[in-house]
Amino acid sequence: MQKRIVLLGSTGSIGTQTLEVVLNLRESHSVEIIGMSAHSNVELLRKQADEFGLPQERICLSSKEPDKLLELAALPNCIVVNAIVGSAGLESTLAALKAGNTVALANKESLVAGGERVMQIARDNNAKLIPVDSEHSAIWQCIGENRHKDIAKIILTASGGPFFGYSKEQLKTVTKEQTLNHPNWSMGAKISVDSATLMNKGLELIEAMYLFGLPEDKIDVVIHPQSIIHSAVEFVDGSVIAQMSVPDMRLPIQYALTYPERLPSPLTQNEHKKLSLTELGSLTFAKPDYKVFSCLALAREAARHGGDAPRRLNQANEEAVELFLKSKINFCEIAEYITESIKS
Ligand code: NAD
Ligand code: MG
C-alpha cells in the first residue's frame, strides 16, 4: 500500500534528505508526498512542490500561514514527517497525532517541550510516533519486540561534537565557524550548535525518556566519536543490543517511512557507503565530561526534575542559541545564559 507523506520543514537538512529518500523510493511505489511546508524559503518550497507535483493548496509557507500548517498536519491517513526546527514544531506534532496520523519525528523539541502531553495525545488517538533522530531510531530498533520491563537501560551515544576533548579554557576561544562545523553530520545551524555544546544529547536524553517511558537514571550517555553505533539497549539479562550503520540520516528517515518493511536505500546502492567493520578497524568510547559540557548536566537535571523543567530548559536554550548565532554571546555564555534563565 502506498504511504502518503506530509513533510513539514521541507527546505531544511532533514526536509531535503527526506525528499531524496522519497525520490529514491519512487520506483518501489511505496511512498508519495501529499503536502509540504517551509518557513521562509518560498523559492525552494515552490521548486520542491513543482518537482513532486503538489498543487498550491497542499503547500504552506508557515511564517504567513500557521493555520494551514496545522491543516496539512491533520490531513487524513498520512505519515507526517516533522522536520521543523525548535519548539515551533510542537503544535504540528499535536495536530497530526490528534488526527490519528503517524508522526515520523525529527523535531525532538516537540518531546522536550511537551513530552507528557505529546505521549498522552498519541495514546488517546491511537497514533504512532516513530523516531527519526538516529539515536532514537536505533533504540527503537534495538527494543523491537522485547518487553518494556526487560529493559535495564539505554546507552545513548554521542559523537562528542567538534570540541570533544576540549578543556573549559579552550572552549573560551572557539568561534561560530568552528561550532557550525560538525565532524560527522551536516545539519541545520541550531542542531549544529546544540551538538557542539552537547545540549543536543541533553535534549535527546529527555526525548528518550518520554518516547521509551524510562527515568533519566536509566539513560547513560556515552561518547563514541565515529558515530557508527547509533545507540544501544541493555536488557535485564546483561545482553546489549546495538544498531550500527555509517552515519547517514537518510537511513533512519527511510526506515520511519517504510516501517515495518526495509527497502534498499541510498547506502545499499553504493558499495563504498556501506558499513565495513574491517575498514573501520576499531570503535572507541569515552565518558562525557559533565563539567566542561555543562549543558548536558543542565539537561540531566531538568530531566530528573520533570514537570515544566524540560520545556523551560528548551526555551532558554533556543534563546541562547539564537543569541549565539547572531554573535551576541560567545560559546561559553550559552550555558551561562541557560543557567541564569532557568533560575528565575
Ligand atoms: P534546518 O534548520 O535545516 O531546517 C528547519 C526547517 O524548519 C526548515 O524547512 C524551515 O523552513 C522550517 N522552520 C524553521 N522555523 C520554523 C517555524 N518557526 N515554524 C515552522 N517551520 C519552521 O533544521 P534541521 O537540521 O533539518 O533539523 C530539523 C529538526 O530535526 C530539528 O528538531 C533537529 O533537532 C532534528 N534533527 C536533525 C538532524 C540533522 O541531521 N539535521 C538529525 C536529527 C534530528
Ligand atoms: Mg540525534
Side-chain angles (χ1 to χ4, degrees):
M1 199 182 74
Q2 197 169 40
K3 290 180 177 170
R4 296 151 35 95
I5 314 286
V6 170
L7 174 57
L8 307 180
S10 64
T11 53
S13 161
I14 294 290
T16 51
Q17 291 183 87
T18 302
L19 292 178
E20 264 181 63
V21 166
V22 169
L23 272 184
N24 197 53
L25 289 173
R26 262 192 178 171
E27 269 173 41
S28 67
H29 300 289
S30 54
V31 292
E32 168 199 24
I33 298 273
I34 62 158
M36 51 170 88
S37 84
H39 206 57
S40 49
N41 191 343
V42 67
E43 271 165 40
L44 180 55
L45 178 65
R46 286 229 178 87
K47 188 167 160 266
Q48 291 174 330
D50 281 347
E51 192 177 355
F52 287 82
L54 290 190
Q56 186 64 33
E57 66 266 23
R58 289 292 178 83
I59 64 172
C60 162
L61 190 65
S62 50
S63 53
K64 299 231 166 81
E65 315 167 288
D67 293 344
K68 193 169 177 190
L69 181 67
L70 303 184
E71 280 165 27
L72 287 184
L75 281 173
N77 304 319
C78 56
I79 299 180
V80 177
V81 177
N82 190 343
I84 292 172
V85 61
S87 49
L90 174 60
E91 291 308 317
S92 309
T93 297
L94 294 175
L97 294 172
K98 281 180 190 160
N101 284 328
T102 294
V103 175
L105 190 70
N107 180 250
K108 64 192 82 184
E109 296 92 343
S110 280
L111 275 176
V112 180
E116 275 159 26
R117 197 161 139 232
V118 169
M119 297 311 289
Q120 188 60 48
I121 287 176
R123 279 191 294 272
D124 290 349
N125 293 281
N126 213 1
K128 278 204 203 74
L129 206 51
I130 299 185
V132 167
D133 212 349
S134 56
E135 295 78 0
H136 304 74
S137 173
I139 296 162
W140 172 60
Q141 293 176 60
C142 295
I143 294 176
E145 296 297 309
N146 284 285
R147 298 178 304 180
H148 185 266
K149 66 174 186 178
D150 294 342
I151 301 170
K153 69 174 185 191
I154 283 174
I155 301 164
L156 188 67
T157 54
S159 70
F163 307 135
F164 172 53
Y166 277 43
S167 66
K168 249 204 162 117
E169 239 3 78
Q170 284 173 304
L171 280 185
K172 283 188 183 150
T173 57
V174 302
T175 64
K176 189 158 85 179
E177 204 177 31
Q178 287 171 297
T179 305
L180 292 178
N181 197 4
H182 195 277
N184 303 347
W185 307 94
S186 155
M187 310 176 286
K190 195 243 168 194
I191 184 175
S192 296
V193 177
D194 287 346
S195 297
T197 60
L198 291 202
M199 181 56 95
N200 183 50
K201 214 45 58 178
L203 300 178
E204 291 185 355
L205 167 76
I206 298 168
E207 180 185 12
M209 191 172 80
Y210 290 120
L211 262 181
F212 304 111
L214 288 168
E216 163 275 330
D217 61 356
K218 287 201 167 180
I219 306 170
D220 281 358
V221 173
V222 172
I223 305 286
H224 165 46
Q226 297 84 12
S227 298
I228 296 294
I229 293 188
H230 299 302
S231 278
V233 177
E234 183 185 307
F235 294 91
V236 288
D237 58 359
S239 182
V240 176
I241 300 182
Q243 188 261 341
M244 301 195 274
S245 75
V246 297
D248 190 322
M249 282 309 296
R250 292 174 302 179
L251 208 53
I253 293 170
Q254 173 166 316
Y255 191 50
L257 301 186
T258 64
Y259 173 81
E261 272 188 282
R262 288 189 187 265
L263 294 176
S265 77
L267 301 194
T268 53
Q269 284 147 2
N270 182 343
E271 213 41 54
H272 301 295
K273 292 215 157 161
K274 281 204 269 184
L275 178 62
S276 163
L277 292 176
T278 49
E279 253 167 56
L280 267 172
S282 62
L283 298 176
T284 58
F285 305 93
K287 282 187 181 162
D289 190 332
Y290 284 89
K291 288 218 172 80
V292 174
F293 294 93
S294 50
C295 282
L296 182 55
L298 289 171
R300 216 177 243 296
E301 227 170 276
R304 202 174 304 137
H305 212 273
D308 199 33
R311 185 196 63 76
R312 296 184 58 207
L313 171 94
N314 181 67
Q315 171 77 35
N317 181 57
E318 287 186 17
E319 290 167 13
V321 171
E322 199 179 325
L323 289 171
F324 175 76
L325 288 172
K326 288 183 177 155
S327 305
K328 299 255 168 70
I329 61 174
N330 66 37
F331 188 81
C332 291
E333 285 169 331
I334 296 176
E336 290 168 20
Y337 180 96
I338 299 167
T339 308
E340 280 311 306
S341 105
I342 56 182
K343 246 193 234 159
S344 54

